[in-house]
Amino acid sequence: DSYVLKWYDENDSGLESMERRICEHPAVTPFRTVLPQCFNSIRRGDYSIAIPQLIAVLESIILQLNPPQVISRDVKKALRKGGHVAKDAEGHVYATAMWLSLSTFINELYIQVPAALPSVSPVLSRHGIHHGRFEAPNVQAEATRLLHAIETALSLHDRLKLSKTGNRKRVASTGND
């Protein structure tokens, strides 16, 4: 955590570059209003305001990785081993690494936590936060971790889209020869 926070402090202290990369991506179009507000909250140190919405953004991006015919809203299922996304990432070293990173992060985010926790979550728990069991932690590292996961999901989105487009072009070119 400290290494990443230090890196951003030295290289993108206001998160302007990260905000531009994320907000300009077509996969986050449904969140055009709230994403800049999340970044403003983070800049003010109001991390617990941004965290629930960043979780929703991440879930939306992950669900967009599914093929159009899959209408499931189950984020863990979308990233499961042997699922559509994992199969699409196979054979692509970077895509596989991104998928594995996202899958690990989501499994930790969706961990079930005991009901007898304090009012503020000691861990980043999607269920606890979104179901009103406790408020999101007001911790810079957690907000940064979510932003990294969003960037990873967007990169995977682009890589898989590129590989599908490349495969179609290769199939078209070999089919017409």
Side-chain angles (χ1 to χ4, degrees), residues 20 26 31 72 78 84 93 98 105 117 137 144 146 152-153 160 165:
R20 191 171 36 262
F31 300 95
S72 172
H84 294 289
V93 174
M98 287 182 244
F105 183 82
L117 285 176
T144 304
L146 275 165
T152 300
L160 294 179
T165 304

Side-chain angles (χ1 to χ4, degrees), residues 17-161:
S17 295
M18 180 185 274
E19 181 177 10
R20 191 171 36 262
R21 285 189 308 270
I22 291 173
C23 290
E24 289 176 358
H25 198 284
V28 299
T29 299
F31 300 95
R32 290 281 189 233
T33 301
V34 78
L35 271 170
Q37 293 174 13
C38 287
F39 279 96
N40 287 334
S41 294
I42 290 168
R43 287 183 192 104
R44 288 191 315 268
D46 295 328
Y47 310 109
S48 63
I49 292 172
I51 285 173
Q53 195 61 49
L54 293 175
I55 292 171
V57 170
L58 178 61
E59 289 180 353
S60 175
I61 296 165
I62 290 171
L63 291 172
Q64 291 176 52
L65 293 170
N66 277 325
Q69 71 273 17
V70 176
I71 56 172
S72 172
R73 304 301 300 161
D74 187 334
V75 174
K76 282 181 72 173
K77 187 177 179 181
L79 290 177
R80 77 180 186 281
K81 187 175 181 178
H84 294 289
V85 178
K87 287 179 182 174
D88 285 349
E90 280 179 6
H92 305 281
V93 174
Y94 293 122
T96 301
M98 287 182 244
W99 165 79
L100 184 58
S101 174
L102 268 179
S103 181
T104 302
F105 183 82
I106 288 297
N107 285 334
E108 291 175 10
L109 183 63
Y110 275 72
I111 194 166
Q112 295 295 326
V113 292
L117 285 176
S119 62
V120 177
S121 174
V123 296
L124 194 58
S125 166
R126 185 254 186 227
H127 294 303
I129 294 166
H130 280 210
H131 293 292
R133 291 185 37 213
F134 38 75
E135 69 181 16
N138 195 37
V139 178
Q140 182 182 11
E142 298 297 355
T144 304
R145 195 172 288 128
L146 275 165
L147 290 170
H148 272 287
I150 288 169
E151 284 203 300
T152 300
L154 291 172
S155 294
L156 181 58
H157 189 278
D158 292 343
R159 176 130 344 235
L160 294 179
K161 186 176 179 180

